[in-house]
Amino acid sequence: MSERTILYIEDNYLNRRLMRKILESQGYKVLEAEDGLKGFEMLSQLRPPLVLLDIGLPGMDGLDIAERAKADESLRHIPLIAVTASAMRGDRERFLAAGCDDYLSKPIQTNELLEKLNQLYPTEVVEE
Ligand code: MN
């Protein structure tokens, strides 16, 4: 993948549209999956450099996706950022325990999002 690519697994259309707008304005290419099964399939087949992951998803939820990805040697290096409105006490720990590398809360704060991407996006991927 020569472009700066991010896979966003999210069932809500408005969230996908907003995220695409923000990320494309920063030069990222956005791949989208609207349910968990499709998302995991894309993650394992395409092995994108970074994944943004909704937790509440039809098919397979975000925690299942994280657990399966981190149990797979060929996928576990891919950074997973959970993106969810869930803000109950202990949620962050639960996401991290499932294998997420970081966590962002909805509604998306553009600055916070871009900061996390700068931290977690693999630097060996050459920007063209
Ligand atoms: Mn959802």
Side-chain angles (χ1 to χ4, degrees):
M1 275 182 233
S2 60
E3 290 168 277
R4 297 207 300 170
T5 303
I6 291 175
L7 171 63
Y8 185 29
I9 306 174
E10 165 66 80
D11 58 325
N12 182 283
Y13 169 73
L14 293 175
N15 288 336
R16 291 203 308 275
R17 192 173 66 174
L18 173 65
M19 189 68 88
R20 172 179 288 277
K21 197 172 158 188
I22 297 170
L23 296 179
E24 286 183 349
S25 78
Q26 299 297 314
Y28 290 101
K29 180 182 179 186
V30 184
L31 302 172
E32 295 175 6
E34 58 187 39
D35 68 64
L37 289 171
K38 177 77 179 166
F40 185 77
E41 189 182 297
M42 288 175 77
L43 192 166
S44 50
Q45 285 174 8
L46 304 173
R47 297 184 204 171
L50 187 142
V51 177
L52 294 169
L53 186 60
D54 181 26
I55 298 299
L57 288 165
M60 184 191 301
D61 75 20
L63 297 179
D64 289 340
I65 292 175
E67 277 168 11
R68 284 185 61 175
K70 296 304 177 181
D72 186 324
E73 250 175 65
S74 68
L75 303 177
R76 72 167 55 120
H77 65 284
I78 301 173
L80 307 175
I81 305 178
V83 183
T84 173
S86 183
M88 285 167 54
R89 203 182 161 86
D91 275 352
R92 185 190 173 86
E93 288 68 27
R94 206 157 54 87
F95 303 150
L96 298 181
C100 294
D101 297 276
D102 213 325
Y103 164 78
L104 281 171
S105 56
K106 291 174 185 166
I108 293 301
Q109 306 295 317
T110 303
N111 289 346
E112 193 188 3
L113 168 68
L114 298 179
E115 200 172 300
K116 292 263 189 258
L117 294 181
N118 284 336
Q119 288 166 12
L120 289 175
Y121 201 90
T123 50
E124 69 271 20
V125 175
V126 177
E127 190 177 348
E128 303 192 12

